[in-house]
Amino acid sequence: MKGLLYKDWALIAGGYKANFLFLLVFYGLLTVIGRMTFLAYAMVFVMGMYASSTISMDENSHWDAYAHTLPVTPGQLVAAKYWLTLLLTAASIPLSFLLIALIPDPKPSPLEAALGLAAACTVTLFYFSFVIPLSYKFGAAKARSWVSISILIVAFGPVLLFTQLPEGVTAPIKNAAASLDATVTATWSETSFTVAVVGALLLFSLICIVISWAISVRLYTRKTY
């Protein structure tokens, strides 16, 4: 596993070092000078993108055909992609915190920054939970199109469906949501609520990753190279 991770890391370092340094300076300046906090959160997604790009590199170099001759299992080959995604996402968190800390006052509070980074991590890992299995199914190039369609359906499908429902159905849901919001506000402190939301988002991300890994192993095992 260490060898697989090192191979992918060498691909990223060799192919994206200059690109990453440029983005770091560009995002850093805009975040600090322009107070564009969302760019600090975007760094999480950008670093995750580097991990997924190794699948395209593997396809172009026919790595998987060679990998089948190595004493490693399909589960290990696939797991390396997920571990790399998790490691790069985790490494982006202190980097993003540093960019936010450099913003002149007034700057986002630590709780606000933690919530924003947790949301960024969730979006990143959720996105790659779609990208990796679809890459093994259709190829890396087609996977990006399928992921965009899938996320639009998952993200906006329920919203569109909700707007089409009659008032008699949506009214109880709206009342329940308002009641839940009032209960949470009265019961939880801001710190406790933020910690709970951050924990829930990260747990959801990890569950998506585990399910995605299981699906990817099945797809990778059945695919011929």
Side-chain angles (χ1 to χ4, degrees), residues 130-151:
F130 278 88
V131 165
I132 297 177
L134 288 175
S135 294
Y136 287 128
K137 179 66 176 178
F138 302 108
K142 290 182 180 179
R144 287 188 285 270
S145 299
W146 281 104
V147 169
S148 300
I149 295 171
S150 300
I151 288 181

Side-chain angles (χ1 to χ4, degrees), residues 5 47 80-93 125:
L5 287 172
M47 291 188 70
K81 303 300 181 186
Y82 286 90
W83 277 114
L84 186 65
T85 301
L86 289 171
L87 290 172
L88 289 179
T89 302
S92 69
I93 294 175
L125 297 180

Side-chain angles (χ1 to χ4, degrees), residues 39-172:
L39 288 178
Y41 304 140
M43 283 296 299
V44 178
F45 188 81
V46 169
M47 291 188 70
M49 283 288 291
Y50 291 139
S52 70
S53 68
T54 60
I55 298 179
S56 297
M57 296 179 181
D58 288 348
E59 289 181 359
N60 294 334
S61 64
H62 305 289
W63 154 258
D64 292 292
Y66 171 73
H68 276 66
T69 66
L70 300 176
V72 290
T73 65
Q76 291 173 321
L77 289 167
V78 173
K81 303 300 181 186
Y82 286 90
W83 277 114
L84 186 65
T85 301
L86 289 171
L87 290 172
L88 289 179
T89 302
S92 69
I93 294 175
L95 179 60
S96 298
F97 260 123
L98 176 61
L99 293 180
I100 293 172
L102 292 175
I103 298 176
D105 292 329
K107 66 183 68 177
S109 67
L111 287 177
E112 183 181 349
L115 190 58
L117 286 172
C121 289
T122 300
V123 170
T124 300
L125 297 180
F126 183 70
Y127 177 83
F128 293 113
S129 295
F130 278 88
V131 165
I132 297 177
L134 288 175
S135 294
Y136 287 128
K137 179 66 176 178
F138 302 108
K142 290 182 180 179
R144 287 188 285 270
S145 299
W146 281 104
V147 169
S148 300
I149 295 171
S150 300
I151 288 181
L152 283 173
I153 293 173
V154 171
F156 298 106
V159 176
L160 181 61
L161 177 63
F162 188 79
T163 59
Q164 302 302 314
L165 293 174
E167 182 66 24
V169 176
T170 59

Side-chain angles (χ1 to χ4, degrees), residues 197-214:
V197 171
V198 168
L201 288 174
L202 296 179
L203 178 61
F204 173 74
S205 302
L206 293 176
I207 291 173
C208 288
I209 285 292
V210 171
I211 294 173
S212 177
W213 171 79

